[in-house]
Amino acid sequence: MAEMTEGRWGAVELAVTREDIRAAASWRMREARHAVIVHLGGPMRQLETELDGVAARPGPPAAGDIWVVPAGRSYASQARGGTIRYGVLYFDPESLSALPGSDGRIAPRFAHRDEFLYRAVERLAELIGRNDDVSELLGASLGQALSLHLVQRYRAEETAPGPRGPLLSGPARERLQEHVHARLGDRITLDDLADIAGMSTHNLLVAFRQAFGTTPAQYVIAQRLRRVRWLLANSAQDITAIALETGFASHSHLTTAFRRHIGLTPRDFRRRWREDA
């Protein structure tokens, strides 16, 4: 059973849904608009997603994790958990192309953390159904800020004409994901990843960026921090134990990385998540 509310501010539209997924739920999407899916809260024990038929199994999300689905791309997911709440932001590519430095294209992201986008969506959700002039002005301002943020943060990189270089097959991509997710607490080397993909390390670096939009090192740290966020939100483990379980050398090592990437300390993230819950 799902309950949905919707609002629109200029070229930006937001749909917020509360849904019981104790029985497995599945969603599919292929839009002419860009879509940004934001997990706003609620327990999710299993999650599998795919983009254009390529699977990703990042594990359960924490509130604030986002998925960026460019216009025209096919997205599908399956999940199981409790009662969850999520928002989907829609952006018109033509409207984005009118912004400075934008051609209207954006790059996909899976299970990415974006604190600004998360908080802005929560604020927009509060404005749905409010028709007073102040609420409409605030919604329009947030919609414009989100459009600029999307263009700056998720703009698709230009690719040079000619051969694209080595590419990862779908199975190779899945093997790499499974290896990383199963060994977040262990040392993960570029040589190991290259062996799994059946490539030289040089070719893997090129192919990995084509497939994931990031480097292997950046991908590993992002997945470690995702696991940290989930443990902070869903367990009573102390932060030092979480750090060691997810591949960080110490409490301070985790805190430094967490603050740099998330903008909060692990302690503050846990406190804020509990307050939001």
Side-chain angles (χ1 to χ4, degrees):
M1 187 71 176
E3 301 173 1
M4 184 172 69
T5 57
E6 297 177 281
R8 187 179 184 89
W9 302 268
V12 176
E13 183 178 336
L14 172 65
V16 177
T17 302
R18 186 181 299 276
E19 186 170 352
D20 185 343
I21 60 168
R22 285 176 293 181
S26 62
W27 305 277
R28 292 187 177 275
M29 173 189 299
R30 182 166 186 157
E31 289 275 342
R33 303 172 291 175
H34 301 313
V36 180
I37 305 164
V38 187
H39 182 62
L40 298 175
M44 192 180 292
R45 292 185 295 277
Q46 294 176 312
L47 176 65
E48 296 185 7
T49 61
E50 63 179 50
L51 187 67
D52 292 339
V54 179
R57 299 178 177 85
D65 284 356
I66 70 167
W67 286 254
V68 180
V69 184
R73 307 288 290 272
S74 295
Y75 169 87
S77 65
Q78 294 183 339
R80 186 188 299 272
T83 298
I84 63 168
R85 181 170 167 265
Y86 59 92
V88 184
L89 274 171
Y90 297 100
F91 297 86
D92 175 34
E94 290 188 10
S95 296
L96 291 186
S97 67
L99 297 175
S102 173
D103 61 4
R105 297 182 305 126
I106 60 172
R109 290 288 189 278
F110 269 35
H112 179 68
R113 181 73 185 186
D114 190 321
E115 191 71 18
F116 170 77
L117 201 153
Y118 169 41
R119 297 298 169 182
V121 166
E122 284 283 33
R123 189 69 183 94
L124 271 182
E126 295 173 359
L127 299 177
I128 292 176
R130 296 187 183 181
N131 299 316
D132 61 281
D133 53 356
V134 173
S135 294
E136 290 179 357
L137 286 169
L138 178 57
S141 297
L142 283 171
Q144 181 70 3
L146 283 164
S147 296
L148 291 168
H149 180 74
L150 195 74
V151 165
Q152 182 190 57
R153 184 68 62 87
Y154 303 104
R155 180 173 53 233
E157 293 183 3
E158 293 290 342
T159 55
R164 296 176 62 193
L167 298 175
L168 284 171
S169 67
R173 176 179 172 137
E174 289 189 39
R175 289 196 302 271
L176 288 169
Q177 289 178 316
E178 290 170 359
H179 178 83
V180 170
H181 296 156
R183 293 167 175 79
L184 291 177
D186 301 330
R187 187 168 181 264
I188 298 172
T189 70
L190 186 61
D191 286 341
D192 289 342
L193 297 178
D195 286 344
I196 290 167
M199 293 179 168
S200 69
T201 55
H202 172 75
N203 283 347
L204 174 68
L205 288 171
V206 176
F208 198 96
R209 182 174 285 279
Q210 287 277 3
F212 294 94
T214 188
T215 68
Q218 291 168 337
Y219 180 82
V220 169
I221 189 67
Q223 300 313 310
R224 283 177 169 157
L225 290 173
R226 285 198 69 254
R227 181 62 180 166
V228 169
R229 295 196 303 273
W230 192 88
L231 289 169
L232 289 170
N234 296 282
S235 80
Q237 285 183 261
D238 66 72
I239 294 172
T240 298
I242 290 174
L244 298 177
E245 180 178 326
T246 54
F248 294 93
S250 64
H251 185 301
S252 61
H253 182 205
L254 169 59
T255 297
T256 299
F258 202 90
R259 185 188 286 116
R260 183 169 65 249
H261 289 270
I262 310 300
L264 300 167
T265 66
R267 190 180 306 279
D268 287 341
F269 176 87
R270 174 174 268 172
R271 176 182 53 78
R272 183 177 290 186
W273 188 90
R274 288 174 176 172
E275 289 172 355
D276 290 346

